[in-house]
Amino acid sequence: MPVEGGFDRSYYLADQGRFFSPQRHFEDDAKLPAVERGSGFYGTEAIAGHAVRCLQDHAAHHAGAPFFHFVAFTAPHFPLHAEPGDIAKYAGKYEAGWEALRAARWARQQESGIGGNALSAPERDLGPPYHFPDALEKLGAGEVNRPLPWGDLTAGQQRFQTQKMAIHAAMIDRMDREIGRIIAQLREMGALENTLIVFLSDNGASAEIMVRDDGHDPAAPPGSADTYLCLGPGWSTCANTPFRRHKTWNHEGGIATPFIAHWPAGIKARGELRAFPAHVIDLVPTALALAGAARAHSDAPAAPGTSLLPAFSDDLPPREAPLWWSHEGNAALRLGDWKITRAKGDPWALYDLGKDRAEQRDLSHANPDRAEAMAAQWAAMEAEFVRLAKGE
């Protein structure tokens, strides 16, 4: 639990599947009463509200002392639950379909310089990572579990899919505004200029389709507490533009996410882009470097990441240490611009991300020695991770 693990305060929304009426949530590790339907509760607002109250308390009782706050929004994770007014803002905005939106996003990415060097081709035969035929039956004829051409969908399917994307957008819109509440509190405290704010996601968009928790009532308003909708592979392919595949896979669509840092008093390179491959494991070394702190225990394993502070002022040299991933049999390792990846049961593929960030050209046959060496390195890193996880 968070406080047991070292935090002073915590609001922990442990009920992932109920944005409006969580049954399991905790404040300072103490279980709170279940939330009743229709109470006006919404998880994204509750998480931000707790963060604001903690900052207000800090300003009142610990002014001048440093603080660290980890705000872990559950949005926009499935189920697609959003407030009616937020959904209404996006009504009809996605009727052109996922292919048109993907093309528009790719064009904007090229203009802004953040889109990479290639656009992946939609994988029409690749559906959710887990197949739940009973969920598809509950969701009805509007749901499709493949990123089919938009023009191949029925009018009913297009309406259903358009509604889902509107709810997804509403969830992100609400999260954005709740982050704004936190930033407003920092500004009111006079702390905004000298607070490092880092925004990132834990994985790429999800192609999953399932029904859990309180189930799905097809007669209920989409996005309400009585429904259980997921983004699905069509919109996930769009949301992950320009990358390939989705959450659970270790292709770029599954692991590449935004990483935005804001710190007016500490970042000289304001408004600049950095191509240095960063990872969530880099946050602990970065925070320790900012605080001038060492590891809490001398016998604790060294943090696996690297401090990102140089990226705030200077161009970083190429990352020398490899990054590796392992998720339910899917795997990847990146070393410089070279990356190997495989889906469970498939052979390793090798990509040069410097030229092919969308992972469209497998170079393993042209570079067998490199692919073999990187595969051996991945195996060694996994074995070391398992050893440490066992406490050996």
Side-chain angles (χ1 to χ4, degrees):
M1 296 292 285
V3 174
E4 182 184 9
F7 286 90
D8 297 302
R9 300 290 310 281
S10 170
Y11 175 66
Y12 173 31
L13 183 56
D15 198 345
Q16 182 72 57
R18 298 179 177 92
F19 278 83
F20 295 106
S21 55
Q23 309 300 295
R24 295 178 294 107
H25 59 149
F26 303 80
E27 185 163 11
D28 299 340
D29 290 4
K31 195 173 190 299
L32 296 171
V35 177
E36 296 294 328
R37 294 273 187 92
S39 67
F41 179 97
Y42 186 65
T44 304
E45 296 170 348
I47 290 169
H50 183 270
V52 169
R53 291 193 297 275
C54 286
L55 288 171
Q56 291 170 338
D57 179 76
H58 183 91
H61 300 104
H62 309 284
F67 58 87
F68 173 87
H69 206 123
F70 173 40
V71 187
F73 288 104
T74 51
H77 194 282
F78 60 79
L80 299 180
H81 281 172
E83 296 174 331
D86 292 342
I87 298 172
K89 291 170 61 175
Y90 294 93
K93 287 189 177 293
Y94 302 105
E95 291 178 346
W98 42 59
E99 291 153 329
L101 183 62
R102 191 171 191 251
R105 290 187 174 189
W106 171 241
R108 288 201 306 272
Q109 289 170 349
Q110 293 300 288
E111 293 174 2
S112 64
I114 64 171
N117 47 33
L119 176 66
S120 65
E123 296 183 65
R124 301 294 190 190
D125 295 328
L126 186 69
Y130 326 104
H131 182 45
F132 298 112
D134 57 330
L136 287 174
E137 183 176 351
K138 294 174 184 175
L139 293 166
E143 189 58 278
V144 291
N145 66 349
R146 293 293 186 274
L148 301 174
W150 186 256
D152 289 355
L153 304 185
T154 67
Q157 289 172 332
Q158 289 181 354
R159 286 193 298 270
F160 185 86
Q161 298 299 323
T162 297
Q163 183 70 60
K164 287 203 307 176
M165 188 59 187
I167 303 167
H168 179 71
M171 296 175 76
I172 295 173
D173 183 304
R174 173 57 59 179
M175 179 179 65
D176 189 35
R177 283 182 283 149
E178 295 305 309
I179 292 171
R181 286 177 58 200
I182 298 171
I183 290 174
Q185 176 59 36
L186 291 170
R187 182 179 288 113
E188 183 177 327
M189 295 164 56
L192 182 60
E193 295 296 304
N194 199 32
T195 297
L196 171 62
I197 302 171
V198 173
F199 175 88
L200 68 158
S201 176
D202 56 341
N203 45 251
S206 169
E208 294 162 282
I209 295 176
M210 60 186 68
V211 175
R212 292 176 173 172
D213 301 304
D214 295 329
H216 175 73
D217 179 0
S224 67
D226 289 319
T227 62
Y228 202 103
L229 302 171
C230 300
L231 195 60
W235 289 122
S236 177
T237 298
C238 172
N240 288 331
T241 306
F243 304 129
R244 181 182 173 193
R245 297 205 172 183
H246 322 270
K247 171 190 169 184
T248 75
W249 283 278
N250 294 158
H251 295 73
E252 292 295 281
I255 61 176
T257 78
F259 189 107
I260 304 168
H262 177 272
W263 182 21
I267 296 180
K268 296 179 181 178
R270 295 182 64 176
E272 296 186 16
L273 294 172
R274 290 287 183 262
F276 183 76
H279 193 284
V280 67
I281 60 174
D282 298 330
L283 293 180
V284 167
T286 302
L288 292 177
L290 280 172
R295 297 199 301 272
H297 303 285
S298 59
D299 59 345
T306 183
S307 170
L308 298 176
L309 292 187
F312 297 165
S313 57
D314 305 306
D315 288 324
L316 285 173
R319 188 179 193 123
E320 296 182 358
L323 293 170
W324 76 284
W325 295 262
S326 178
H327 187 83
E328 299 185 26
N330 303 319
L333 181 138
R334 177 170 177 168
L335 185 59
D337 282 337
W338 290 99
K339 177 185 173 184
I340 56 168
T341 188
R342 69 180 181 198
K344 183 178 181 180
D346 290 346
W348 288 107
L350 174 70
Y351 300 103
D352 180 358
L353 299 187
K355 300 176 181 177
D356 178 27
R357 186 79 191 276
E359 298 169 315
Q360 300 296 285
R361 298 183 298 277
D362 178 10
L363 303 177
S364 60
H365 297 294
N367 300 269
D369 293 343
R370 183 186 296 275
E372 184 177 344
M374 292 181 69
Q377 191 170 14
W378 181 92
M381 296 186 74
E382 183 196 40
E384 176 65 8
F385 175 84
V386 170
R387 185 186 70 80
L388 289 173
K390 291 180 177 179
E392 297 177 354

